[in-house]
Amino acid sequence: MDDFPFAIASDKAVFSELDSKDGGVVLFKKFDELRNDLEGDVTPDAIKKFVSANSLPLVVEFSHETAQKIFGGEIKAHNLLFLSKKNAESEKMIESFKKVAKEFRNKVLFVTIDTDIEDHERIMEF
């Protein structure tokens, strides 16, 4: 949880501007829905689970930076899509992958692996 900047607000103007409410928890992000609102009880465990579940995109691109989040996270089921980003159809395939990922959010982690990157050869051996 230390990796996430956070703020606490008590000003009604802030609640109005952010379309939030007093006591609410909102996660702002730069991908997918751009924000998620915690529903249900606001407890430390609920907040931790909420942030963990929503802090990754629906489809995560594998890299050295994301590897720990992918394989060290709470979701142990992974759907891996191996593709060449040089392929003209790759964006279309990723969009289709995202549609399915929405149905399995918080159950299965959907990961793309660019086969053009030499460092990814070890993953393809498995």
Side-chain angles (χ1 to χ4, degrees):
M1 297 302 290
D2 294 335
D3 296 339
F4 301 99
F6 68 93
I8 298 173
S10 59
D11 188 329
K12 289 182 182 181
V14 173
F15 298 144
S16 178
E17 179 69 25
L18 298 177
D19 191 25
S20 188
K21 60 183 179 180
D22 189 12
V25 176
V26 181
L27 176 66
F28 294 99
K29 53 194 185 176
K30 296 180 181 180
F31 52 86
D32 297 337
E33 313 93 339
L34 303 179
R35 80 177 271 161
N36 296 103
D37 294 88
L38 175 64
E39 296 177 8
D41 294 335
V42 178
T43 65
D45 285 341
I47 293 170
K48 186 175 181 180
K49 187 173 183 178
F50 167 73
V51 171
S52 176
N54 291 290
S55 63
L56 287 174
L58 282 170
V59 175
V60 182
E61 184 172 345
F62 180 83
S63 69
H64 290 292
E65 294 79 28
T66 61
Q68 178 57 36
K69 291 180 181 179
I70 293 168
F71 298 114
E74 290 187 27
I75 300 173
K76 300 301 180 194
H78 303 126
N79 189 343
L80 307 178
L81 174 62
F82 293 87
L83 71 148
S84 168
K85 289 274 186 109
K86 294 176 185 174
N87 183 326
E89 298 291 311
S90 66
E91 285 303 316
K92 193 183 287 186
M93 288 187 280
I94 292 171
E95 285 305 312
S96 295
F97 204 49
K98 278 185 183 180
K99 289 177 185 175
V100 177
K102 284 181 185 178
E103 296 177 38
F104 291 93
R105 181 170 222 143
N106 301 324
K107 296 178 188 134
V108 177
L109 197 56
F110 285 69
V111 182
T112 60
I113 301 174
D114 188 349
T115 57
D116 298 322
I117 297 175
E118 190 175 317
D119 284 352
H120 295 171
E121 287 179 9
R122 285 190 53 219
I123 297 167
M124 291 186 284
E125 291 174 5
F126 292 104

